[in-house]
Amino acid sequence: MSFLPPNYHPLFSRGEIAQRILTLGAQITQSYKGKPLTVLVVLKGSYVFAADLVRAIELPINVEFIGLRSYGDRMTTSGVVEITMDVKHPLMGEHVLIVEDIVDTGLTLDYLIKNLRTRNPASLALAALLHKPSRTKVEVPIDYLGFEVPDKFVIGYGLDFAGKYRNLPEIGYLDPPPDMA
Ligand code: IMP
């Protein structure tokens, strides 16, 4: 793709992503049959994944959005997280499925899960497109996982570098990694 930098390397094609999401959608459909499900999309990185995932779920779901900002850069994720845009209605008594782009250190999701638990949902589960197990600082249980990735800076399919490349229809990584300073 012409707008990609020379240090870009492909990881997962459009077809591989589509196939995996169909499988995840079928699993979620099976798990939540007969239960009212709220899909909670974490902005911004998850919007592309969520758009495809919700269309693979064959249930009458409700979709909500939450905006988070993690302080620090990639190498020094601080665990300090700010909710920049909160859910517009209470989640009490609902079955909530968080949709996240990537679990890296786990600090952001750990914060979000603890915060959401105080709102007393009927259940709380996590669908993550990517997981970088080698970077884990806090274990976060992932109920529906797309792919494991190596310790590389990944972009595309919603994931950005400095705000760019979210519109790349596949997933790849930058090597040598970008200068995060
Ligand atoms: P955490 O380290 O698990 O708290 O991840 C925090 C956030 O950093 C994720 O939700 C992503 O938005 C972002 N992030 C982590 N690793 C990458 C990456 O390789 N590419 C793009 N964004 C990333």
Side-chain angles (χ1 to χ4, degrees):
M1 230 151 296
S2 60
F3 66 99
L4 291 169
N7 60 339
Y8 174 77
H9 307 269
L11 257 184
F12 304 110
S13 69
R14 300 167 85 138
E16 284 170 309
I17 298 167
Q19 202 55 48
R20 188 72 196 116
I21 287 178
L22 282 182
T23 304
L24 295 180
Q27 288 172 356
I28 293 166
T29 302
Q30 210 49 43
S31 305
Y32 290 94
K33 243 178 208 149
K35 295 178 187 169
L37 173 61
T38 294
V39 172
L40 181 60
V41 182
V42 182
L43 296 173
K44 291 181 186 172
S46 309
Y47 79 103
V48 178
F49 173 43
D52 284 342
L53 184 65
V54 294
R55 285 177 290 174
I57 300 172
E58 296 183 30
L59 295 171
I61 61 169
N62 174 38
V63 182
E64 298 289 336
F65 298 90
I66 191 163
L68 299 183
R69 180 188 298 145
S70 311
Y71 286 92
D73 60 35
R74 175 182 174 249
M75 309 313 292
T76 58
T77 309
S78 61
V80 178
V81 181
E82 185 193 350
I83 296 181
T84 55
M85 190 196 86
D86 208 345
V87 189
K88 297 289 183 284
H89 82 136
L91 299 170
M92 190 156 59
E94 295 182 19
H95 295 278
V96 176
L97 176 65
I98 304 167
V99 175
E100 176 63 308
D101 55 354
I102 184 165
V103 179
D104 185 25
T105 62
L107 288 165
T108 304
L109 257 298
D110 184 60
Y111 170 88
L112 180 63
I113 288 167
K114 283 180 180 148
N115 179 297
L116 293 177
R117 280 214 186 103
T118 67
R119 306 182 196 199
N120 296 317
S123 71
L124 198 52
L126 171 62
L129 175 64
L130 304 175
H131 182 213
K132 260 189 232 174
S134 56
R135 302 240 319 148
T136 302
K137 282 191 184 159
V138 187
E139 288 286 349
V140 174
I142 303 175
D143 303 276
Y144 307 95
L145 174 64
F147 305 98
E148 281 196 357
V149 289
D151 184 8
K152 303 278 187 196
F153 194 83
V154 290
I155 58 166
Y157 201 70
L159 288 116
D160 74 307
F161 166 59
K164 304 251 169 13
Y165 310 120
R166 293 192 198 276
N167 57 322
L168 176 65
E170 60 180 36
I171 297 169
Y173 62 93
L174 300 177
D175 193 15
D179 180 6
M180 308 300 288

